[in-house]
Amino acid sequence: MLRVGLTGGIGSGKSAVARRLAALGAVVVDADRIAREVVAPGTEGLAEVVAAFSDRVLDADGALDRAALGAVVFGDEVARRRLEAITHPRVRARTAELVAGAPADAVVVNDVPLLVEVGLAPTYHLVLVVQTAVATRLARLSRDRGMDPAEAERRIAAQADDARRRAVADALLTNDGTLAELHDAVDRLWHERLLPYERNVRTRHAVRPGPTAPTGPDPTWPEQYARLAARIRHAVGGDVRVDHVGSTAVPGLAAPDVIDVQLTVPSLAEADGPLADRLAEAGFPRLPGQWWDAPRRTDRVHWAKRLHGSADPGRPVLLHLRPAGSAGWRYALLMRDHLRADPGRRADYLQVKRDLAATAPAGAEQGTLGDPWFDEEHLRAEEWAAQTGWRP
């Protein structure tokens, strides 16, 4: 199944997005609703909350008075963390039950207000953020919930700001217009990205990037890489090395809009084991066939690797699995760092790539065309490494 994390600040319209996704066929798991369930009257969760904060957080009927509890914990980080230690494990456990009960081909949307604050972004195939101007959110909270303006401002300030949310957003919905406009945006996302993404994850199909001319540079490429790397690390587990390589890893360099990621593995045998399955389940299936890098030395022995792509049709990715210390592994890091350090070499590199893109036969891999410039540039990079003491 496809796991989508949905978040947005209070008053952003996140619930409207969740309702639209549910109408389209998504299985929506509402963290706020679950948070209420785990502290309902008679539950162990409510008993622990009362033990922690006294019965002043109860209403006349013995149920949790959320406004009273909010007045205690909002603005008091110690109290908030104490509450989260009681509720979050229960919410996670109930969420896991609901997700496990969803169909195998479902698009499961976890509606999580504090997704950013609790660091859940890497656990999803895709994170969807609803963003709305603060002035609009304040007006909605006053109009729709009768919230005092000062209280609304305090609630907004207690959550992650827009910049932190944007940093984890694979898809961003701006909700400053009408409800119809919001529904149109959600519908496009559902049909053009979420449904194909779910199918690709289920069938382990990687979307192979086609030949594209250099664009950009896009200043968001590093942020996009960071999201991918966090997802890969979560999938693989343990202390693994993940690097941003290729053209999009060089600031200021125009490049095809494909994020190249290098995952360091102990050996290709390791890459062929359970690791491949974990990556596929996380949305990075293996591309079929045998893959290698063009050698940059006299013996011309191919540098074997494993190549994975992305199941997400909205974000082209090439994930290179190379053994630690291997020639191809070192070359990817060396060329990246050399180009980062030398603006003149970046300009030459870009011109060569443009020339190759213009003259390459249909379907050819530009990185394996064996242009002599790359051999010469490799020698210059090795000289630079020797002079500077560079290490991968």
Side-chain angles (χ1 to χ4, degrees), residues 153-169:
E153 289 180 356
R154 193 159 68 100
R155 295 290 184 98
I156 289 174
Q159 295 181 335
D161 59 20
D162 287 343
R164 286 182 62 194
R165 290 197 190 92
R166 282 195 301 270
V168 305

Side-chain angles (χ1 to χ4, degrees), residues 221-305:
W221 280 333
E223 277 189 3
Q224 294 184 56
Y225 156 74
R227 292 194 292 271
L228 295 165
R231 199 162 283 140
I232 291 165
R233 291 191 182 97
H234 177 77
V236 174
D239 185 16
V240 296
R241 177 168 180 174
V242 183
D243 289 281
H244 190 186
V245 296
S247 302
T248 60
V250 181
L253 182 64
D257 187 23
V258 179
I259 305 295
D260 284 274
V261 182
Q262 177 169 278
L263 173 60
T264 301
V265 294
S267 66
L268 292 182
E270 179 80 12
D272 293 334
L275 174 62
D277 290 329
R278 291 198 293 271
L279 289 172
E281 290 167 2
F284 302 98
R286 176 172 292 181
L287 284 164
Q290 298 298 313
W291 298 93
W292 52 81
D293 297 303
R296 302 298 170 196
R297 59 187 183 192
T298 56
D299 62 16
R300 293 301 182 187
V301 174
H302 283 134
W303 298 341
K305 65 179 177 181

Side-chain angles (χ1 to χ4, degrees), residues 67-258:
L69 179 61
V72 172
V73 302
F74 277 108
D76 185 337
E77 185 172 353
V78 173
R80 179 175 59 81
R81 291 187 180 278
R82 192 175 184 187
L83 176 63
E84 290 172 353
I86 297 169
T87 60
H88 284 185
R90 290 176 167 84
V91 171
R92 285 195 293 268
R94 179 56 179 155
T95 297
E97 290 179 7
L98 293 173
V99 172
D105 61 350
V107 175
V108 177
V109 177
N110 282 91
D111 181 349
V112 187
L114 300 181
L115 182 150
V116 176
E117 290 84 344
V118 297
L120 291 176
T123 67
Y124 300 104
H125 290 106
L126 181 142
V127 172
L128 172 59
V129 171
V130 185
Q131 179 175 290
T132 306
V134 171
T136 304
R137 294 164 62 190
L138 288 170
R140 287 175 182 166
L141 291 172
S142 176
R143 181 193 67 212
D144 300 336
R145 304 192 193 183
M147 193 175 291
D148 178 78
E151 177 65 12
E153 289 180 356
R154 193 159 68 100
R155 295 290 184 98
I156 289 174
Q159 295 181 335
D161 59 20
D162 287 343
R164 286 182 62 194
R165 290 197 190 92
R166 282 195 301 270
V168 305
D170 300 293
L172 187 68
L173 289 177
T174 301
N175 184 27
D176 292 308
T178 66
L179 183 60
E181 290 171 336
L182 180 64
H183 284 177
D184 286 344
V186 174
D187 292 355
R188 287 194 300 272
L189 178 70
W190 176 261
H191 292 290
E192 297 174 9
R193 191 169 184 182
L194 298 185
L195 285 183
Y197 196 174
E198 183 282 318
R199 183 172 58 251
N200 291 341
V201 168
R202 178 164 35 89
T203 61
R204 298 197 171 188
H205 171 71
V207 180
R208 182 173 174 179
T212 56
T215 62
D218 185 340
T220 71
W221 280 333
E223 277 189 3
Q224 294 184 56
Y225 156 74
R227 292 194 292 271
L228 295 165
R231 199 162 283 140
I232 291 165
R233 291 191 182 97
H234 177 77
V236 174
D239 185 16
V240 296
R241 177 168 180 174
V242 183
D243 289 281
H244 190 186
V245 296
S247 302
T248 60
V250 181
L253 182 64
D257 187 23
V258 179

